[in-house]
Every structure is written in C-alpha cells, then in structure tokens.
Amino acid sequence: MDLATITPLILTYNEEPNIDRTLSKLTWAKEIIVIDSFSSDKTLEIIENYSNVKLYQRKFDTHAQQWNYGLQQVNSQWVLSMDADYCLTEDLLDEIKNQKSNSLADGYFIPFKYCVFGKPLTQTILPPRQCLFLKHQAIYIDDGHTQLLENKGQTSYLNYPIYHDDRKPLSRWLWAQDRYMVLEVEKILKTPTNELSIGDKIRKQIIIAPFIILIYCLIVKGGIFDGWHGWYYAFQRMFAEILLSLRLIESRYFHTPSPQNSKD
C-alpha cells in the first residue's frame, strides 16, 4: 500500500500534552486532517508547527458526528483514524506499506499497546480498532460514550500495534470518565438485555464488574508484572467501573441523569 494514498484523521480537544508526540510520527503524510473542538490550551499553537496539517474547528456534539464530519474533509482513498494520543511505529508503517495492492482488504483492525507515563504495558483490555479503511466504504455510528465504524467491505487485521500514550493529567481523565459513564448507563439501560455484550450484562449487575476488571487487568492480562504502571492502569479501569456502578445505582434507584456528551 502506498502511504501517499492515506490521510490521518485526528480529533482534538485540549491535547497539549499529546498532540506534538502524535504529529511527529506522521511526517510521512502528505496531508493530515485535524478536527478540533475549540481547544483552549496550546493545542492549536502546536499544530501550527506542522505544515502538512489541515485544521478544521467544529463544536462537539457526538463522537460519530465529529468523525463523520472529518471524513467529509478527507480527499484520499484511505483514512487512518487516530486519537490525539496515538503514536505510530516504524514497524506498523512498514507492515502497512507491505500490504499487496492486489489483495487489499477494505479495512484493517490494528492492535494497541497502552502506555502509562510513557511505558508500554504487557497487555491491556483495549481491543483492536478498525483504524485504517477505505473512505467510501465506511461511516461512524454512536455507541455509548464512543463510536463504531461500519464498514461495508471486507476487513482484516494487522500485527504491529499503535501505542496509546495519553499523558493528560489525572484530573482530566476523571472529568472525562464521569461523562463517559453517563452515556454508558444510557446505552446499557436502553438496550434489551439479550442484545447486550457479556461485559455489559455483567456491568448491569452493578456490584461485581469493578472487582472482575481489577482481577482481569492484574492477573489475566499480567498487569502485576508491569509494577506500579500496571497497578495504576488496573486501578484506573476499576475506578471507571465504580463510576459506572454509581451512575447505574443513581439512575435505577434515585433518578435518571441527563446524558452529557464529552469531547475527550
């Protein structure tokens, strides 16, 4: 695959701690599309240092709407959708370049290596995401606090990961997680139980999900061998599930909270 046929697409909102690191790995791209939700930190100043970035600003409503707006700005055949804290490796780029043109899929799922304070963890709960795809085959739909890509064509998997290296402060993470969980509660309560994933069925029971996720991150995924970086990640994921449980209790037994969209 020719890298010249690929446009990275990035969403930003106050990504000063991350965006320079992400863009520095995309100097190969002829054009990068950035959709910014009116950042108030130094995100835009940093972006100005990269001549291959084309910047658009749009008020945030939902992730799917923001991504679909971004897709409309892409002129190339292929799209590489990225969060502002993703870092590409040379191994992944080489793997993409080595995809033979006569046997290309319509989209590719890419695995992740989650980083805590810059250190990649052994394993995490992040599933592969369809990040590389043909523009004309795809559209985003909302799914709880995040989005899903619907691809009409055939998909495949790449082997080398993207590094997910978010270095925003913990206070920002907490702010975002609370807003995420309001949307997750709405999804879980509105979806018939028989249509929920196994994970969401467990979450709907309120009590056990936080403890399961702690054990899963530390033992099943081997986070305990990553030292304090692994404990930090496991506690993050457990705390997120505790927030979800609190929101479920609030919604089910006290009142129904109004959904709050998040830009993060």
Side-chain angles (χ1 to χ4, degrees):
M1 184 186 300
D2 185 357
L3 293 183
T5 65
I6 303 173
T7 297
L9 170 61
I10 305 173
L11 303 189
T12 58
Y13 176 69
N14 288 350
E15 291 289 346
E16 180 182 344
N18 297 317
I19 192 62
D20 186 56
R21 190 170 56 258
T22 297
L23 293 177
S24 69
K25 301 297 184 181
L26 300 175
T27 54
W28 53 267
K30 181 179 179 182
E31 185 173 80
I32 302 168
I33 301 295
V34 172
I35 310 300
D36 181 75
S37 301
F38 294 95
S39 293
S40 57
D41 64 357
K42 295 183 179 179
T43 297
L44 302 185
E45 294 179 34
I46 296 170
I47 289 173
E48 288 177 357
N49 295 324
Y50 291 88
S51 59
N52 59 342
V53 173
K54 196 169 183 180
L55 175 68
Y56 298 85
Q57 287 191 295
R58 180 181 184 273
K59 183 178 179 180
F60 186 90
D61 43 18
T62 72
H63 281 95
Q65 294 292 344
Q66 204 79 341
W67 282 112
N68 287 329
Y69 174 79
L71 289 180
Q72 294 172 13
Q73 317 312 319
V74 173
N75 296 311
S76 64
Q77 183 181 13
W78 289 87
V79 179
L80 179 64
S81 66
M82 301 178 61
D83 288 351
D85 50 18
Y86 287 3
C87 287
L88 302 189
T89 64
E90 290 300 322
D91 287 335
L92 176 58
L93 289 175
D94 287 342
E95 185 178 12
I96 292 173
K97 287 188 288 187
N98 290 332
Q99 299 302 307
K100 296 180 180 179
S101 58
N102 61 351
S103 59
L104 290 177
D106 300 297
Y108 291 89
F109 285 85
I110 302 177
F112 285 89
K113 277 278 188 181
Y114 193 91
C115 301
V116 173
F117 299 111
K119 177 185 176 180
L121 301 183
T122 303
Q123 294 187 64
T124 59
I125 62 175
L126 282 175
R129 174 185 163 192
Q130 189 178 177
C131 297
L132 180 62
F133 52 89
L134 287 170
K135 175 187 173 182
H136 72 275
Q137 291 278 40
I139 189 170
Y140 282 99
I141 59 172
D142 284 308
D143 181 48
H145 80 273
T146 185
Q147 72 288 321
L148 289 176
L149 182 74
E150 286 191 340
N151 192 325
K152 301 174 184 177
Q154 295 183 337
T155 59
S156 185
Y157 287 80
L158 298 178
N159 295 310
Y160 287 100
I162 288 175
Y163 283 77
H164 185 292
D165 191 5
D166 187 4
R167 306 208 191 167
K168 294 191 291 294
L170 181 60
S171 58
R172 172 70 180 276
W173 182 86
L174 293 169
W175 173 85
Q177 291 301 313
D178 185 47
R179 285 152 179 78
Y180 289 167
M181 294 313 161
V182 172
L183 296 174
E184 287 297 302
V185 165
E186 182 183 28
K187 171 190 169 185
I188 289 172
L189 294 182
K190 286 186 176 181
T191 303
T193 300
N194 65 329
E195 295 179 16
L196 290 172
S197 67
I198 294 176
D200 282 339
K201 287 178 182 177
I202 294 173
R203 295 168 116 191
K204 195 172 183 179
Q205 302 308 309
I206 296 177
I207 302 299
I208 61 175
F211 302 100
I212 288 177
I213 202 67
L214 179 67
I215 295 170
Y216 187 73
C217 289
L218 287 176
I219 307 303
V220 178
K221 290 296 187 179
I224 196 169
F225 299 110
D226 289 311
W228 284 114
H229 294 81
W231 281 98
Y232 187 91
Y233 177 75
F235 283 153
Q236 269 194 333
R237 298 324 316 158
M238 183 183 188
F239 189 81
E241 292 301 327
I242 290 173
L243 277 176
L244 179 67
S245 293
L246 288 170
R247 287 295 190 181
L248 280 168
I249 293 170
E250 181 183 59
S251 179
R252 184 178 294 176
Y253 299 108
F254 300 110
H255 70 276
T256 302
S258 299
Q260 303 173 40
N261 290 336
S262 169
K263 303 172 185 175
D264 194 25

